[in-house]
Amino acid sequence: GSGPIGRIAGILPGLRGFVRDCRSSLFADLLALLVENGVPLDRALDLAGESSGDRRLARAAGRAAEAARRGDPPAAALAPE
């Protein structure tokens, strides 16, 4: 990840996975909240990805949003790179 938390996580054993899990949880919680409140799925994916603090997750969410716009299932786009 980027930013100070990402740099710290890179040097402390075991912290990287914890930070990644926290960012994924934030993404999922925000995505659910947005969709439950009527935000279209493609826009919700973009917003949740941008808010996650994780560049890889944001890129995957962007790909999923594009898939949703095309009418394709977005799940495959969220798979790890």
Side-chain angles (χ1 to χ4, degrees):
S2 61
I5 293 174
R7 286 191 291 277
I8 292 169
I11 59 173
L12 294 175
L15 191 57
R16 184 177 305 219
F18 175 75
V19 169
R20 184 178 48 246
D21 290 348
C22 288
R23 288 177 173 169
S24 295
S25 178
L26 171 67
F27 169 80
D29 288 346
L30 183 54
L31 179 61
L33 181 66
L34 290 165
V35 171
E36 287 172 1
N37 284 283
V39 176
L41 180 59
D42 62 327
R43 184 68 181 131
L45 284 161
D46 282 331
L47 290 170
E50 292 167 8
S51 300
S52 71
D54 183 306
R55 286 182 289 188
R56 285 188 302 178
L57 184 54
R59 283 192 307 268
R63 289 191 307 271
E66 286 300 320
R69 288 181 192 104
R70 290 190 308 268
D72 295 334
L78 289 173
E81 295 178 326

